[in-house]
Amino acid sequence: MFRISLLASLLLAATVSAPARAEDFRLSSTAMAEGAQLKPAQVFAGFGCTGQNQSPQLSWSGAPAGTKSFAITAYDPDAPTGSGWWHWNVVNIPATVQEIKPGASTTGAMPAGALEINNDYGVAGFGGACPPPGEVHRYIFTVHALGVDKLDLPANASNALAGFMIGANTLGTAKITAVYNR
């Protein structure tokens, strides 16, 4: 009996002191929900779309042990381009940050040190949803926990290069996939 109690105590201690698991890393947003239609605030203003083009509020918790910085990506895999469409790519978000305020990309309220890469509209920062009429597209917002303090990227880095560097340094990810159609 003592042996079973000791084993149970050791297992409990190991569980309590274990580092965060990937499934503990969570992303939430007041602006959107998993599988739900994006609101006009996150829709592009142009290309026939009449949204407000504001980056969404995002908050996360439970990052894996060893996280030294974060990156955020917003990607449409359904865009008719052969390579999808990058709506947002932010790197070098300090590990102390756990929230991005609504509209931060366009109001200059991104965390100090964060670098916004040019999106596929050709400008740095957030570019909202704007699928072709009649199509429903998915928009995958991902926070990446990185094992490095800073990604050394040129100012004009492509989304492919940023994606490669993010992928090479990711310890864990948390995602919300929203949809939009017009």
Side-chain angles (χ1 to χ4, degrees):
M1 184 60 99
F2 174 74
R3 182 181 255 170
I4 294 172
S5 294
L6 178 60
L7 181 58
S9 294
L10 289 173
L11 286 173
L12 178 61
T15 302
V16 170
S17 64
R21 299 179 315 253
E23 58 268 14
D24 294 332
F25 189 26
R26 300 197 182 277
L27 175 62
S28 61
S29 177
T30 58
M32 62 185 159
E34 182 69 29
Q37 175 94 346
L38 287 172
K39 297 173 185 164
Q42 282 72 56
V43 175
F44 192 65
F47 287 24
C49 291
T50 57
Q52 298 161 3
N53 204 43
Q54 294 180 357
S55 56
Q57 182 276 340
L58 298 172
S59 58
W60 53 92
S61 62
T67 298
K68 295 182 178 178
S69 68
F70 295 100
I72 296 171
T73 58
Y75 177 70
D76 171 4
D78 304 313
T81 64
S83 60
W85 192 271
W86 291 98
H87 289 267
W88 202 18
N89 212 327
V90 187
V91 299
N92 303 338
I93 301 169
T96 55
V97 173
Q98 293 188 333
E99 180 180 20
I100 302 295
K101 301 286 185 192
S105 180
T106 55
T107 62
M110 291 299 291
L115 172 65
E116 292 184 282
I117 308 294
N118 278 0
N119 58 42
D120 282 345
Y121 292 111
V123 297
F126 179 77
C130 188
E135 295 184 13
V136 177
H137 284 209
R138 294 167 291 157
Y139 297 88
I140 305 167
F141 289 80
T142 306
V143 174
H144 306 260
L146 306 179
V148 295
D149 292 316
K150 181 179 178 184
L151 294 180
D152 189 20
L153 293 169
N156 63 346
S158 68
N159 286 295
L161 176 58
F164 176 83
M165 295 299 289
I166 290 168
N169 292 285
T170 293
L171 301 174
T173 60
K175 301 178 182 191
I176 295 174
T177 301
V179 297
Y180 186 72
N181 69 304
R182 58 182 178 124

